[in-house]
Amino acid sequence: MQQINIQYFKHPYAEFLLGSYQGQLCLCDFRYRKMRASVDKRIQLGLNASFTEQNDDILESTKTQLEQYFLGERRVFDIPLLLIGTDFQKSVWGALEKVKYGHTATYQDLARSIGNEAAVRAVGNANGANSLAIIIPCHRIIGSQGMLVGYAGGLSLKKRLLSLEQNLFI
């Protein structure tokens, strides 16, 4: 069986579980999120691989780039990504990547951007299944009334990330 290299990355903002497979990042998620087991299972089954706690260049680069992001020194990540999910989920995650640093969008905006306005709830579910937190910026998605809603890292972290980005946005 193939292996997914994983590392735990503790940062003052949050604790992450990072994973790479064949030179691509496939996991950058909150260690203690509610859906931890289902996200891990999806990735392992999708790659027919198991987790092995081992460091590598991709995981080190991810740690460095996350540190830079949290310091306000990085707005775009340039780590090779491997998305594990359905075609629909991948389309939503692709739309998420287009929400620029310092900006927000609604679930309705995301549904429109993938050409399926009626899929707001499914878009929300796909957003919640994102296994590449921060890097694929699901924290930039807000409710239709501008309220902060749902985030695997918790609403206080979502608020902190949006504040970080908006305070540094020029």
Side-chain angles (χ1 to χ4, degrees):
M1 182 175 262
Q2 298 285 332
Q3 77 179 36
I4 300 163
N5 293 337
I6 64 161
Q7 288 282 289
Y8 298 98
F9 175 56
K10 192 169 188 170
H11 188 276
Y13 272 79
E15 192 167 347
F16 296 90
L17 173 59
L18 306 176
S20 72
Y21 179 78
Q22 297 182 351
Q24 296 175 295
L25 187 71
C26 61
L27 182 62
C28 176
D29 206 2
F30 302 104
R31 183 173 183 181
Y32 299 109
R33 74 177 290 182
K34 288 179 184 173
M35 293 176 55
R36 175 80 280 126
S38 65
V39 169
D40 293 350
K41 182 178 178 182
R42 182 185 80 229
I43 291 169
Q44 290 178 81
L45 287 174
L47 295 174
N48 192 27
S50 60
F51 287 165
T52 301
E53 197 165 340
Q54 180 174 312
N55 208 2
D56 63 32
D57 291 343
I58 292 295
L59 298 178
E60 280 303 309
S61 179
T62 301
K63 292 174 197 174
T64 298
Q65 290 190 31
L66 284 170
E67 285 285 359
Q68 292 167 341
Y69 168 83
F70 290 125
L71 290 170
E73 298 169 355
R74 176 174 290 277
R75 295 179 181 202
V76 177
F77 295 90
D78 59 8
I79 301 160
L81 302 179
L82 179 60
L83 305 176
I84 310 301
T86 65
D87 289 342
F88 179 80
Q89 288 172 325
K90 289 177 186 178
S91 72
V92 171
W93 300 334
L96 279 171
E97 288 183 290
K98 294 176 183 157
V99 181
K100 295 184 189 308
Y101 185 99
H103 296 274
T104 58
T106 65
Y107 293 102
Q108 184 69 57
D109 295 334
L110 274 184
R112 252 187 239 110
S113 74
I114 64 167
N116 193 345
E117 268 189 77
V120 175
R121 190 176 301 261
V123 162
N125 288 335
N127 190 55
N130 175 24
S131 63
L132 292 163
I134 313 294
I135 296 177
I136 295 182
C138 52
H139 62 278
R140 296 180 189 152
I141 305 307
I142 58 175
S144 60
Q145 304 300 315
M147 293 176 17
L148 297 185
V149 293
Y151 188 57
L155 291 182
S156 62
L157 177 59
K158 183 173 188 165
K159 182 177 182 178
R160 192 172 176 193
L161 293 172
L162 292 174
S163 179
L164 168 77
E165 291 185 6
Q166 289 165 352
N167 288 335
L168 296 172
F169 181 69
I170 298 171

